[in-house]
Amino acid sequence: MQHVVAIIKIYHIQICIQPTILIVCFIYNKGVKMLQNKHDIRTKRTHQQIRDALIDLIFEKHFDNITVSDITNRAMINRSTFYRYYQDKYDVVLKIFEDAMERLKKDLGPPKESLKNLNENQRSDPWVKLFDHFAENKRLYLAMLDDSCNIWFMSRLRSNIISMLREREKLRSSFLVSDKDCSPEIQEMAFLFTANALIGTIDWWLKSNCTPDSEKMSYLFRSYFKNGHIGMLNKD
């Protein structure tokens, strides 16, 4: 049987490829993709095993006393597999934190209005989503906010919340009623107060088994956010 020859013209250069070669290349590429998908699934599973193991251990012992061997034994993997993906236990925590922050930003979505237009009595989906995010990742945040590693984690969390506030409000003086821009010092103080208040609130709320629910917490925190400490205590 006479072979059919496929002619491909690339930059005026003719390349002849027999159909049998094309079929072999197609099968090879398909096999490579299947192997890659299996590898990706195994990699994701290994990452999850390592992270779950560390979170379990944080509930059981002080973070400083957790070793890589503890993590690998709990995750049922060998040390070489661990070091293929992470430098040490701090690197695991860092990657967990970075993923959590990415999920948080995705859950919140972009801001739709300035804080100047904040209505504490109107349902605010971003704030409800914020508390939903912490509730859905309760086990992670309880572990990370544990006394054994909370100084490092809270510092990271605070910095990320402040950065997120800056980004969402584009460094505008949204905390003031006046149309005039506030000073950088007042902006930083406002962001810092908000971040610390939010972290303290989340820590208390998670340890209270997420009671009241996200919608109620959204209202309470927005009330504090807008009215401040004295205004909140004087509300009916």
Side-chain angles (χ1 to χ4, degrees):
M1 183 181 293
Q2 187 176 4
H3 288 292
V4 178
V5 178
I7 301 177
I8 302 174
K9 188 176 263 189
I10 303 176
Y11 298 111
H12 305 294
I13 299 174
Q14 290 186 334
I15 303 174
C16 296
I17 305 175
Q18 292 186 356
T20 51
I21 298 176
L22 290 173
I23 293 171
V24 170
C25 290
F26 173 77
I27 294 173
Y28 173 78
N29 289 334
K30 188 175 182 181
V32 168
K33 288 182 179 179
M34 289 177 65
L35 289 174
Q36 184 64 45
N37 289 337
K38 288 182 179 179
H39 175 73
D40 291 343
I41 292 172
R42 284 197 300 268
T43 299
K44 289 179 181 178
R45 184 167 58 240
T46 302
H47 278 296
Q48 195 61 51
Q49 287 175 303
I50 293 171
R51 296 178 184 197
D52 287 344
L54 179 59
I55 292 173
D56 284 341
L57 289 165
I58 290 174
F59 281 111
E60 296 174 11
K61 59 167 69 176
H62 197 282
F63 181 74
D64 291 342
N65 295 330
I66 297 175
T67 65
V68 170
S69 293
D70 291 331
I71 299 172
T72 56
N73 290 337
R74 180 63 61 91
M76 293 186 292
I77 60 172
N78 55 50
R79 291 175 66 89
S80 61
T81 300
F82 176 91
Y83 286 115
R84 186 182 307 156
Y85 302 112
Y86 301 100
Q87 296 178 8
D88 50 34
K89 64 181 180 181
Y90 297 97
D91 192 32
V92 180
V93 175
L94 180 60
K95 296 299 191 301
I96 292 175
F97 174 76
E98 289 175 347
D99 286 351
M101 288 298 99
E102 284 301 313
R103 289 197 302 272
L104 176 56
K105 291 178 182 179
K106 184 178 179 181
D107 288 346
L108 287 178
K112 296 180 180 179
E113 60 182 3
S114 170
L115 289 177
K116 293 177 182 179
N117 301 320
L118 178 65
N119 182 351
E120 62 190 278
N121 295 312
Q122 182 179 351
R123 188 183 192 276
S124 174
D125 286 338
W127 284 96
V128 175
K129 287 181 180 179
L130 177 70
F131 284 95
D132 281 342
H133 168 85
F134 284 105
E136 290 166 4
N137 297 277
K138 175 183 175 182
R139 191 165 176 269
L140 167 65
Y141 285 107
L142 278 175
M144 296 294 99
L145 290 171
D146 181 77
D147 291 339
S148 62
C149 64
N150 69 354
I151 295 176
W152 177 87
F153 182 74
M154 284 180 67
S155 177
R156 287 272 185 169
L157 184 59
R158 182 186 302 109
S159 296
N160 273 265
I161 290 174
I162 291 173
S163 296
M164 189 167 57
L165 288 170
R166 286 199 194 104
E167 180 183 343
R168 292 178 70 81
E169 292 306 312
K170 301 183 184 301
L171 294 175
R172 292 178 61 88
S173 56
S174 301
F175 296 89
L176 298 180
V177 177
S178 171
D179 292 331
K180 298 179 180 179
D181 291 337
C182 63
S183 68
E185 292 80 9
I186 292 177
Q187 276 190 343
E188 286 304 305
M189 186 182 298
F191 288 137
L192 184 60
F193 279 159
T194 302
N196 283 327
L198 180 59
I199 292 171
T201 300
I202 292 299
D203 187 35
W204 164 80
W205 186 58
L206 294 178
K207 290 174 181 176
S208 300
N209 201 27
C210 300
T211 304
D213 63 21
S214 298
E215 191 136 356
K216 180 66 173 178
M217 286 303 299
S218 169
Y219 165 74
L220 291 174
F221 193 78
R222 282 184 293 120
S223 293
Y224 179 83
F225 194 55
K226 184 171 185 178
N227 300 306
H229 177 72
I230 301 299
M232 189 72 171
L233 293 178
N234 288 331
K235 284 180 67 67
D236 294 332

